[in-house]
Amino acid sequence: MPHYKKLVGPRCYLSPLSFEDAEAHALWENDLEVGIPLGDEAYTPTTLEKMHEQIGAALRNGSHVFSIVDLASEQTIGRCMLTNLDAVNRSAMLGIMIGDKAFQNRGYGQEAIRLLLDYGFNLLNLNSVMLGTFAFNERAIAAYKKVGFREIGRRRQARIIAGKPYDAVLMDILAEEFTGSIIAPMVEQSQV
């Protein structure tokens, strides 16, 4: 199944999940360098069959989970999602993984987050998006801040890895703090 360009940025785009990406996703979740900063993925072995089940469930449930695809190579480089959608309070949780190490630390995560926030705030009409990370993941915290997230709290010593405790860092961004560059211009252009 090919990728579909749902939201396109300068270097990457978000595509609905594809079963063809299952092997890459399973590989990344089993790679401890990728999985430890994510959280529970590091503690749970992921098989190809399990990943196919997860993708199938996401597709059946209409979940807001996307593959992140490099625009130039058409290669899947990661995954991002909005979960725990609350229609009453217009909120959700954001998760992201740049699993392909060749694309880490190059701004792809920030671009994918901006695309996902544009989708969440301007199509799903969310008001607040929250995420959680760990204090040791300084690179991610810096990237989230560049996108506009603010730290809103910590759970002290919430994760213990190799005998050392780390805080869980909670961050959020509000719709009024985010300026999208994809959806609003599309709507404005269609009104002309």
Side-chain angles (χ1 to χ4, degrees):
M1 179 166 111
H3 292 114
Y4 299 101
K5 295 177 180 171
K6 186 74 173 176
L7 287 106
V8 182
R11 297 185 308 149
C12 69
Y13 65 90
L14 305 186
S15 175
L17 284 180
S18 166
F19 286 109
E20 290 180 3
D21 293 333
E23 188 170 352
H25 290 250
L27 177 72
W28 298 329
E29 286 192 12
N30 284 299
D31 182 337
L32 288 179
E33 288 181 16
V34 175
I36 286 175
L38 298 176
D40 294 340
E41 288 83 352
Y43 302 103
T44 309
T46 302
T47 63
L48 182 58
E49 293 77 16
K50 181 178 176 183
M51 188 53 61
H52 274 282
E53 289 173 15
Q54 289 177 355
I55 290 173
L59 294 172
R60 281 189 304 279
N61 297 332
S63 297
H64 305 282
V65 184
F66 299 94
S67 289
I68 304 167
V69 182
D70 175 53
L71 199 55
S73 68
E74 289 292 320
Q75 177 182 343
T76 302
I77 62 171
R79 175 181 69 221
C80 62
M81 65 194 78
L82 292 170
T83 62
N84 300 340
L85 269 73
D86 179 340
V88 173
N89 297 301
R90 298 175 43 213
S91 64
M93 290 288 295
L94 182 142
I96 185 167
M97 164 182 62
I98 300 295
D100 189 319
K101 293 176 192 171
F103 292 88
Q104 293 178 350
N105 299 314
R106 296 180 49 200
Y108 283 91
Q110 290 176 50
E111 185 174 320
I113 290 170
R114 284 187 181 95
L115 293 171
L116 188 60
L117 289 174
D118 204 348
Y119 173 80
F121 289 135
N122 294 312
L123 284 179
L124 300 180
N125 295 310
L126 296 174
N127 183 57
S128 172
V129 175
M130 187 172 83
L131 61 82
T133 189
F134 300 107
F136 65 81
N137 198 352
E138 294 172 5
R139 184 181 70 199
I141 292 169
Y144 298 141
K145 286 181 179 178
K146 286 180 184 174
V147 173
F149 281 86
R150 298 180 186 177
E151 184 174 327
I152 57 170
R154 287 179 177 247
R155 285 187 53 224
R156 297 177 301 146
Q157 300 185 12
R159 179 70 74 189
I160 299 174
I161 301 174
K164 185 173 179 184
Y166 296 95
D167 291 353
V169 179
L170 302 175
M171 305 178 82
D172 76 353
I173 186 170
L174 301 175
E176 65 193 38
E177 299 167 338
F178 178 77
T179 304
S181 61
I182 306 291
I183 295 168
M186 282 183 191
V187 173
E188 291 168 10
Q189 185 179 16
S190 67
Q191 292 176 348
V192 176

